[in-house]
Each structure stands twice: as structure tokens, then as C-alpha cells.
Amino acid sequence: MISVGGRVNQVAEQAHGKSLDEIRGEMEIVLLETALDAKILDAIEVKPEFGLARYYLALTADAHVLYRRVFLERKPSTDFSWGGHRAGYLFYSQGSAVVYYDIQFEELIGESDHHERTGMFTMQHQPIVINTQVFLPIPQDFEREMVPTDRTIKLTIRHQILGVGTDSTWE
């Protein structure tokens, strides 16, 4: 697990007096220039006003190659759903699905006190795109299932691009 809290907070200190939107723009540039090799990104130390999730899950290497451009250019909205041994991220732009990222867990999810056994919601946090990876926000209620602390967590991941719509040219 790698922390980005120091880098993001440093951007905020250097941008003292600027608007929150300007600081977020500068934060995106710094992150795009950052090269990391991690499966989990720790953003707990980041000030809440920057709107980051506490933890992020890296896309698999093959998914990063396939979808990086989608995240950079479309900045899709994200739904998170779960049930049984599975959870998934559905990324969509202008009402049409773009990418589906399916995660299969070894253990049944949703048996904690924090959330129902099945459900779906729209994520409040956006993925983080850095130089070498894309990180998906981990919902706080699912940190126990997705962030290793005292045990190894094994996830099986499947993904697919569902469509890009007719509003852009893909070469």
C-alpha cells in the first residue's frame, strides 16, 4: 500500500489562496506526473475537502492499457454494486455504459454491520489517474473486503468495455 496524502497536501499548501477547483486541477496534474507501482493507494491523510476516497484499488495492468484513455477523456460517472461473492464498478458517460469492472471475492461480502448483502449506489469519488496506473475509489463500507490489513485478500477481476457511444472518435 502506498500513500499519496503527503503529495496531495503539499500541492494544497503550495496553492494557498487559490480556489478549491484550482487546487484540484493542480492535484490532477501532479498525480498524472506521478509514477507508482501499487495495488492499493492510501489517501487517508488527504484533507477531506479535496474529495478523495480513503483508499483506491489499482486497475489490473491489462485494464489500465485498455481503459486509461476512457478515464482521462470521458471522466465517467461510476456506479458500485455488490451481492454474494461479487462487486462491480460500472463506468458510464452521457447515459451509456462504457466499462464494467467485475471483482470476485473468496468470501461472501456484505455480512458486516456496515452495509446490506446486496445493493448499488453511485460513487461520490472519481478514479485517480496517475502516470502509470488508474486507481478506483474503494467505498468506505467495503474497505474490510478490499483493503488488506491483517490478512491477504485474493480478488479475481474481469473487465470489459461495453461501448463508447457515438459522441467521440476512437482511433
Side-chain angles (χ1 to χ4, degrees), residues 55-75:
Y55 294 99
Y56 288 80
L57 174 68
L59 286 182
T60 59
D62 61 331
H64 172 260
V65 169
L66 293 170
Y67 311 135
R68 176 182 173 80
R69 187 171 169 187
V70 170
F71 289 105
L72 282 172
E73 294 178 6
R74 289 188 163 229
K75 301 203 182 290

